[in-house]
């Protein structure tokens, strides 16, 4: 168990793009200010943003938990919403149930979850239909630079 | 190449960032789908797009995009311009279509931030 250097929860409203991405921009600048390496900051920002857009797009409400230890940055997105009936299918590139509103904003290509996987060192998704979804990721701190 | 040179090549109007025209860029990515931008764009690149909603600016902020080039003469909504001012991301607007915009920049030496999927370009030394 390594000590927590930073921890915070950021609430996200579902169903509207009005503030979509705001939390992820904040997470990015918090990590920058903590002096985390730019590659880790970038990966964390992308993961947070994909998670935030998914909450906005599919859930009623949710939050992102950001935690930083000396070894890792963890981003956890938890929401109340419809859940994902088939996680393996949802993980496939190109699978999407995005509505026209989501597509109009430039999303809904079915790349988000695989992008989260690509930019994280570990990914765990649990979901209960009719309840919500929990996406847990970890990025290991780069050795140097 | 500087943003000022890019403005001239594209006969573009600077909507945001007229004080940042000295910024240097070497690479670009073109897409109308933010999902693809998130998956493939690299920091310090230009984003060429026909999409004008505020998510274009958000996505650019997350990815450290150097500047947004709106193609096909698209006029962005006021919220998009406001967010770009707040996040200090330059926006240029050109009447050229995406194909012409990409071609004209490529001809003058701007290259794709990746050449093809699965094949990263060797580092061209982009600064964030
Ligand atoms: N938090 C969530 N709650 C309910 N369903 C979700 C959630 N996140 C993802 N999904 C489901 O998984 C599918 C795939 O998600 P993913 O993020 O990979 O792609 P997308 O959101 O459809 O498009 P993109 O992320 O490329 O814009 C979604 O279309 C949706 O059906
Ligand atoms: Mg998504």
């Amino acid at each position: 168990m390594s000590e927590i250097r930073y921890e915070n929860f950021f609430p996200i409203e579902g169903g509207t793009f009005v503030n979509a991405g705001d939390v992820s921009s904040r997470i990015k600048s918090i990590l920058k200010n903590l002096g985390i390496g730019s590659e880790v900051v970038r990966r964390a920002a992308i993961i947070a943003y994909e998670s935030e857009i998914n909450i906005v797009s599919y859930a009623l409400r949710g939050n992102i938990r950001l935690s930083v230890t000396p070894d890792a940055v963890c981003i956890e997105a938890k929401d109340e919403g419809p859940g994902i009936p088939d996680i393996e299918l949802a993980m496939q590139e190109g699978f999407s149930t995005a509505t026209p509103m989501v597509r109009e904003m430039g999303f809904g290509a079915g790349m988000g979850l695989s992008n989260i996987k690509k930019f994280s060192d570990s990914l765990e998704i649990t979901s209960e239909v009719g309840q919500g979804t929990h996406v847990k990721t970890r990025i290991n701190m780069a050795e140097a630079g | 190449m500087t943003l000022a040179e890019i403005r001239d090549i594209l006969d573009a109007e600077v909507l945001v960032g007229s004080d940042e025209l000295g910024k240097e860029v070497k690479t670009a990515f073109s897409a109308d789908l933010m999902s693809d931008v998130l998956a493939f764009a690299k920091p310090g690149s230009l984003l060429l797009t026909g999409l004008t909603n505020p998510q274009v600016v958000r996505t650019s902020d997350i990815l450290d995009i150097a500047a947004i080039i709106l193609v096909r003469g698209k006029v962005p909504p006021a919220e998009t311009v406001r967010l770009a001012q707040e996040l200090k991301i330059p926006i240029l607007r050109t009447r050229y279509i995406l194909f012409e915009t990409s071609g004209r920049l490529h001809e003058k030496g701007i290259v794709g931030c990746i050449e093809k999927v699965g094949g990263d370009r060797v580092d061209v030394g982009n600064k964030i």
Side-chain angles (χ1 to χ4, degrees), chain B:
Chain B
M1 188 182 296
T2 64
L3 289 185
E5 290 172 86
I6 287 162
R7 174 201 56 196
D8 295 344
I9 292 167
L10 300 176
D11 192 14
E13 183 189 346
V14 180
L15 302 181
V16 177
S18 49
D19 52 340
E20 290 191 67
L21 295 178
K23 204 176 200 179
E24 283 275 344
V25 286
K26 293 176 173 146
T27 57
F29 186 77
S30 307
D32 281 353
L33 206 54
M34 291 305 108
S35 309
D36 279 333
V37 178
L38 280 158
F40 304 119
K42 294 280 188 265
S45 296
L46 293 172
L47 172 60
L48 280 47
T49 185
L51 210 63
T52 60
N53 68 63
Q55 288 323 124
V56 174
V57 179
R58 269 302 170 203
T59 305
S60 298
D61 179 51
I62 294 297
L63 295 173
D64 294 310
I65 291 293
I68 299 164
I69 313 280
L70 297 180
V71 302
R72 302 192 287 271
K74 296 274 167 147
V75 179
E79 319 118 70
T80 299
V81 173
R82 221 178 300 126
L83 189 63
Q85 282 162 344
E86 187 190 317
L87 296 173
K88 298 196 182 347
I89 300 172
I91 300 184
L92 279 65
R93 171 176 168 262
T94 178
R95 288 168 56 223
Y96 287 113
I97 58 170
L98 181 56
F99 183 82
E100 282 295 328
T101 306
S102 305
R104 278 161 200 265
L105 293 179
H106 197 277
E107 193 189 318
K108 293 279 162 53
I110 298 283
V111 294
C113 63
I114 58 171
E115 223 172 346
K116 54 184 172 186
V117 172
D120 272 14
R121 215 172 244 293
V122 284
D123 188 15
V124 291
N126 268 337
K127 288 190 300 264
I128 300 176

Side-chain angles (χ1 to χ4, degrees), chain A:
Chain A
M1 269 282 294
S2 51
E3 92 197 76
I4 290 193
R5 272 182 71 196
Y6 181 93
E7 183 184 24
N8 211 342
F9 288 85
F10 302 88
I12 293 161
E13 195 183 341
T16 166
F17 271 85
V18 171
N19 293 314
D22 193 37
V23 161
S24 304
S25 286
R26 275 162 63 202
I27 286 176
K28 187 180 173 206
S29 60
I30 289 166
L31 291 174
K32 242 189 205 165
N33 291 339
L34 286 171
I36 312 277
S38 62
E39 191 52 33
V40 173
V41 172
R42 176 180 161 77
R43 289 164 64 197
I46 293 173
I47 290 169
Y49 188 59
E50 293 280 17
S51 304
E52 183 174 1
I53 296 292
N54 279 352
I55 293 174
V56 164
S57 303
Y58 308 111
L60 297 171
R61 66 188 70 81
N63 68 68
I64 290 182
R65 172 179 178 264
L66 167 67
S67 62
V68 181
T69 65
D71 311 324
V73 173
C74 297
I75 309 252
E76 249 179 88
K78 223 173 182 173
D79 68 56
E80 291 167 41
I84 303 177
D86 185 340
I87 293 173
E88 206 179 309
L89 181 64
M91 286 292 302
Q92 281 176 21
E93 266 184 31
F95 176 84
S96 180
T97 62
T99 60
M101 171 191 83
V102 173
R103 291 178 195 275
E104 231 167 73
M105 289 293 150
F107 298 97
M111 313 249 310
L113 291 175
S114 46
N115 216 16
I116 290 173
K117 189 181 163 109
K118 174 173 133 192
F119 286 109
S120 60
D121 290 309
S122 80
L123 164 65
E124 216 178 288
I125 304 177
T126 49
S127 187
E128 209 162 314
V129 173
Q131 301 283 316
T133 302
H134 189 174
V135 178
K136 221 174 140 175
T137 65
R138 178 190 159 101
I139 303 165
N140 297 328
M141 234 37 118
E143 301 77 65

